[in-house]
Amino acid sequence: MRVVIQTILNVEGNRGFRNGVFHVRDSEFKKDPDFAVAVVAYEWIQQQKRETGQRETIIEKVTWNEENDITQIVREIEPVLPEDNLPF
């Protein structure tokens, strides 16, 4: 499934709008379209943060296909870190 994701981010006081076309797995989209798109949007925002040198970034608004607001869902996504099982 192809969707258009739009973001409005505030990077240290500078607001910026970006949009792009992304592919979301059909199986995930059928289960929960908002969450499936939110995961893709979160990954894209993380990429944008890396491009700006990991500066302080506030997610102001995230939508997909110009009508579905997923801002809160994206804000609540947290990466899953692998468990540290090292012997030292």
Side-chain angles (χ1 to χ4, degrees), residues 1-12:
M1 176 78 166
R2 292 215 176 272
V3 296
V4 177
I5 298 174
Q6 301 89 14
T7 62
I8 299 176
L9 302 177
N10 183 329
V11 181
E12 294 184 346

Side-chain angles (χ1 to χ4, degrees), residues 3-31:
V3 296
V4 177
I5 298 174
Q6 301 89 14
T7 62
I8 299 176
L9 302 177
N10 183 329
V11 181
E12 294 184 346
N14 297 311
R15 295 179 75 212
F17 172 83
R18 291 179 85 178
N19 66 2
V21 178
F22 297 88
H23 178 75
V24 179
R25 294 182 63 190
D26 288 336
S27 60
E28 298 298 320
F29 188 83
K30 288 177 184 175
K31 289 180 192 173

Side-chain angles (χ1 to χ4, degrees), residues 35 38-39 42 46 72-81:
F35 184 74
V39 169
Y42 176 84
Q46 295 309 305
Q72 193 58 38
I73 298 169
V74 173
R75 287 178 180 157
E76 292 173 359
I77 293 176
E78 295 184 17
V80 177
L81 300 175

